[in-house]
Amino acid sequence: MAAADVQQPPAEAAAPALPDYLTSPDATLGDKEAQWRYGRAPDYSKTRKMFAETKQMKHEAGSLPELVQNLVKNWEVEASFKPSLDDWRTIDRENYSFAINGSEPQGAENMLEVGTYNAIIAPNEYYDPTYSSFSSSHKTFKRMMPTFAWEVLEVYSGPPTVSFRWRHWGVMKNDYVGINNRGEKVTAKAHGGAIDIQGVTVASVNDKVQLQAVRTWFDPLDMFRQIAPQGVVKKEVVKEGLSAEDVVEQEQVASGVVTSAEQELPDHTVQSEEEAKKTTEEIDRKEREGETLGMPVPAGHAEVGEGGGCPMGFR
């Protein structure tokens, strides 16, 4: 008796691979054909080292929080270092916009023109982006805080609308120098302590998990309150004819701050090839051993414990 033919169920199609900008925080740094602001891809190894040592969360590999974290880190690389939108892979150019605290949404062109700091800070008694250029804004903040790490704390919903809470932190190593909303030069002495700001972002993404409408809420004055925790700042009239960049440059040179041009953009510190290799090896060792050093959280911010993966994942 012949065996009956058994019809096999159709094989399920394999799930498409996730974009590399979701699986690695450094994916866009490997874009060899991209135009880079300083002629080559930047080196993020010192900031990545600080992140590994002082982060609050340890997200499960491949979890939604980790994927969101990687997406935003790659977006920041592109916003800071790729002057041509044609090279941005993390956004849906036709549908992309960015807004802070309910302000009028702006396109990517605006951030390229004014810089990432000026795009997110409203005029206040410490700083006014209308007096500052892309270059001078990064001299103000990057020189004050050479490494400024970023992490996802919680993810509340997955695609197509991703909502999450985040943390951005560093150490105030040099004096703050900026121009405020009255056109005055504002100086705050470095205190060597932590600066830790937190906020919430809601972002829509397309089927390639590229950013579309990005809406962020945070208190920008929180950073300045931590820069001058006792409210002690020096305010001076700016000499006629001096630009914000001149003011910042003169003050920082006088106080002995020395940095290369490449260090004036967010989350970036230049290392030699040998230093970068040592840093990477140290990060890998700490990750293997589950070692984190931690950083004190300023008063007013809740401590966040170790986090696991989220049951909602990218599909």
Side-chain angles (χ1 to χ4, degrees):
M1 181 176 177
D5 291 335
V6 178
Q7 186 174 3
Q8 298 295 324
E12 291 187 10
L18 292 173
D20 61 353
Y21 49 78
L22 294 181
T23 59
S24 168
D26 299 321
T28 52
L29 293 172
D31 293 349
K32 304 295 185 184
E33 303 302 318
Q35 177 187 348
W36 293 99
R37 189 173 296 279
Y38 288 99
R40 60 182 174 85
D43 171 15
Y44 271 63
S45 54
K46 282 191 176 179
T47 291
R48 298 296 189 246
K49 180 176 185 290
M50 177 197 172
F51 166 80
E53 293 177 342
T54 62
K55 63 183 179 179
Q56 292 184 1
M57 308 302 293
K58 188 174 183 180
H59 300 305
E60 182 180 336
S63 67
L64 181 58
E66 187 196 54
L67 299 180
V68 172
Q69 187 167 270
N70 289 340
L71 172 61
V72 175
K73 287 188 175 185
N74 280 294
W75 167 83
E76 188 275 326
V77 168
E78 296 191 314
S80 299
F81 288 97
K82 290 182 176 180
S84 172
L85 289 179
D86 291 337
D87 293 327
W88 289 31
R89 298 196 286 124
T90 56
I91 68 169
D92 178 350
R93 282 189 59 184
E94 297 299 318
N95 299 292
Y96 176 82
S97 64
F98 184 88
I100 292 289
N101 296 333
S103 62
E104 185 71 22
Q106 301 288 333
E109 294 84 357
N110 178 68
M111 188 167 284
L112 278 180
E113 179 182 351
V114 303
T116 48
Y117 288 107
N118 288 339
I120 67 173
I121 299 176
N124 60 71
E125 62 182 300
Y126 300 95
Y127 184 80
D128 188 340
T130 60
Y131 288 102
S132 185
S133 65
F134 188 115
S135 177
S136 65
S137 68
H138 290 293
K139 288 181 179 180
T140 288
F141 295 105
K142 185 59 191 167
R143 290 181 175 181
M144 174 191 73
M145 190 162 45
T147 51
F148 201 19
W150 189 92
E151 70 176 330
V152 165
L153 296 177
E154 297 178 273
V155 177
Y156 305 118
S157 64
T161 302
V162 185
S163 55
F164 55 95
R165 186 163 65 93
W166 49 264
R167 171 182 177 238
H168 211 0
W169 77 100
V171 173
M172 186 181 183
K173 291 192 173 182
N174 295 302
D175 294 353
Y176 167 80
V177 185
I179 307 295
N180 70 6
N181 57 357
R182 298 179 62 181
E184 301 167 319
K185 179 176 79 172
V186 178
T187 307
K189 288 296 182 182
H191 52 61
I195 294 176
D196 188 310
I197 59 176
Q198 297 181 17
V200 172
T201 294
V202 178
S204 61
V205 296
N206 63 13
D207 57 359
K208 296 179 181 178
V209 202
Q210 292 173 312
L211 295 167
Q212 296 177 315
V214 180
R215 305 293 180 261
T216 290
W217 290 266
F218 80 112
D219 178 4
L221 284 178
D222 190 19
M223 175 174 65
F224 295 104
R225 286 191 289 266
Q226 294 177 54
I227 287 172
Q230 305 303 319
V232 178
V233 296
K234 182 180 179 182
K235 296 181 180 180
E236 302 173 83
V237 175
V238 175
K239 293 181 180 179
E240 188 175 352
L242 286 181
S243 67
E245 189 159 4
D246 292 334
V247 171
V248 173
E249 188 76 31
Q250 288 179 8
E251 183 69 29
Q252 291 177 335
V253 168
S255 61
V257 177
V258 179
T259 186
S260 70
E262 287 187 320
Q263 288 177 297
E264 291 158 10
L265 292 174
D267 282 10
H268 178 60
T269 305
V270 177
Q271 289 186 301
S272 68
E273 187 174 343
E274 183 178 352
E275 288 174 328
K277 182 179 178 182
K278 289 181 179 178
T279 298
T280 302
E281 290 173 349
E282 181 68 6
I283 292 172
D284 290 342
R285 182 189 68 78
K286 289 180 182 294
E287 289 289 343
R288 285 195 304 271
E289 297 174 2
E291 179 182 348
T292 57
L293 302 182
M295 175 178 284
V297 178
H301 284 305
E303 288 281 356
V304 180
E306 292 297 306
C310 176
M312 299 178 64
F314 285 104
R315 295 289 185 263

